[in-house]
Amino acid sequence: MSEALAAALAAEHAAIYAYGPIGVHLDGDAADQARSAEAAHRSRRDSLILLLTGKGGTVPVAAPAYALPFPVTDEASALRLAVEVEERTGAVWRAALPATEGAQRGSALNGLTDAAVRATRWRRAAGVTPATVPFPGRPA
Amino acid sequence: MRTGDTNQKYGTAGRSRRDVVRAAALVALVGTTGSLTGCGLFDGEPDPPPAPDPLAPLIGGALDLAARYEATIAAFPELADRLRPLAEAHRAHAAELARVTRTTLPSATVAPSTSAGDSGAVTAAATLKQLREAEQQGRDAAAKVCTEAPADRAALVGSITAARASHLEVLR
């Protein structure tokens, strides 16, 4: 169980990092959306750190920097990265579902669901259609 | 049940000849089938039906949601581009759930009865509101099944929950 949650924590660290360059290239509603998304990822990160620390297992720390999958230079690439960040985060939370049960299953499900909702929001902002995928988090 | 009554009748005094004949006929009838149960003529109960698969309600829900979208698209073709991917997602969910539960989907669910049945008076906005409510209920139902599901089903039901939640964004 802890391994899957440690992977989720690592993904949340990366997501928080990515929202830095994303936010820089957005304004208006999209910038607000990026801020609230980043706050949501920070909140999940903090819960995971507490949980994993309590278990006494390894608690992944944030890397000083993460390699982005492509350069973020403008609004379009920022939106594209936001979609990708949420898709990746959702996939990691989905992978945690079989490894968890009870309340932790519930928070993994929230992690997946929130990521899927944000991915849909970002796809709509980017004009990507369809804005949804049939099985969020499932490996392609 | 009826054989039980017959049994009681045997205990009562002064039964008529007709009763005896009827009882004998019943016993004969029960005798042919009763031997299949093996244990006792009167306490043998049919085997209980197998418990329904916990995923079964999600299949019905997915087919219902798909049918609602399809009815809405038929009534409001201008919504087709927006809603068709959602209808297709629900169909894909039903197919995957059927595969996992080893069940066969009912063929061709025509006649979507529920939402846009009596269109004309119904506006697109009202229909979208109904769809939102149906998706919310579907999301909550799937979330409950996911938290109780065995490990090998948790990811699939989790994805279905997340998909239903994401549909709400498109219906805003």
Side-chain angles (χ1 to χ4, degrees):
Chain A
M1 178 201 290
S2 295
E3 222 169 274
L5 294 178
L9 176 53
E12 294 294 358
H13 282 314
I16 293 161
Y17 176 87
Y19 271 105
I22 290 169
V24 167
H25 291 95
L26 300 177
D27 45 34
D29 287 350
D32 290 346
Q33 201 173 306
R35 268 191 294 276
S36 71
E38 184 179 340
H41 286 292
R42 286 186 187 279
S43 154
R44 291 212 182 279
R45 173 200 64 184
D46 294 346
S47 315
L48 280 168
I49 290 176
L50 272 180
L51 179 68
L52 290 169
T53 307
K55 286 178 179 301
T58 50
V59 183
V61 294
Y66 292 81
L68 299 178
F70 46 82
V72 178
T73 54
D74 53 11
E75 186 189 20
S77 51
L79 292 174
R80 199 147 46 92
L81 181 60
V83 172
E84 183 147 342
V85 162
E86 297 301 344
E87 287 176 347
R88 289 186 183 196
T89 313
V92 175
W93 279 117
R94 183 188 193 265
L97 288 171
T100 50
E101 51 188 23
Q104 278 155 32
R105 169 83 60 82
S107 26
L109 179 61
N110 287 338
L112 166 59
T113 302
D114 290 353
V117 168
R118 282 192 297 264
T120 297
R121 247 176 239 165
W122 286 128
R123 285 188 207 102
R124 276 163 69 85
V128 174
T129 53
T132 52
V133 296
F135 295 96
R138 189 167 81 171
Chain B
M1 279 303 132
R2 293 191 65 187
T3 54
D5 293 339
T6 307
N7 195 27
Q8 278 183 343
K9 264 185 196 143
Y10 274 121
T12 59
R15 58 187 184 264
S16 72
R17 185 163 179 274
R18 196 190 295 153
D19 282 342
V20 175
V21 171
R22 195 187 293 147
L26 269 177
V27 168
L29 193 66
V30 169
T32 56
T33 57
S35 60
L36 294 175
T37 66
C39 53
L41 199 56
F42 302 116
D43 58 0
E45 287 178 12
D47 289 340
D53 193 296
L55 299 193
L58 293 187
I59 301 180
L63 293 174
D64 176 64
L65 283 162
R68 283 167 178 264
Y69 280 109
E70 285 152 11
T72 305
I73 291 167
F76 307 101
E78 68 274 19
L79 294 176
D81 287 349
R82 200 165 144 206
L83 301 188
R84 189 165 292 116
L86 310 186
E88 287 168 359
H90 289 300
R91 293 264 170 228
H93 295 167
E96 192 64 10
L97 289 165
R99 189 184 67 75
V100 168
T101 56
R102 296 193 173 87
T103 51
T104 311
L105 290 180
S107 56
T109 49
V110 211
S113 50
T114 30
S115 63
D118 40 297
S119 59
V122 181
T123 64
T127 308
L128 288 173
K129 183 166 176 283
Q130 287 178 346
L131 287 171
R132 273 198 298 276
E133 288 164 5
E135 286 280 8
Q136 273 164 2
Q137 286 171 12
R139 175 201 60 193
D140 294 347
K144 187 165 187 301
V145 173
C146 179
T147 47
E148 293 163 2
D152 62 341
R153 291 171 157 195
L156 170 61
V157 183
S159 279
I160 291 173
T161 308
R164 290 176 176 182
S166 70
H167 293 176
L168 291 167
E169 283 299 308
V170 179
L171 295 171
R172 271 169 180 273

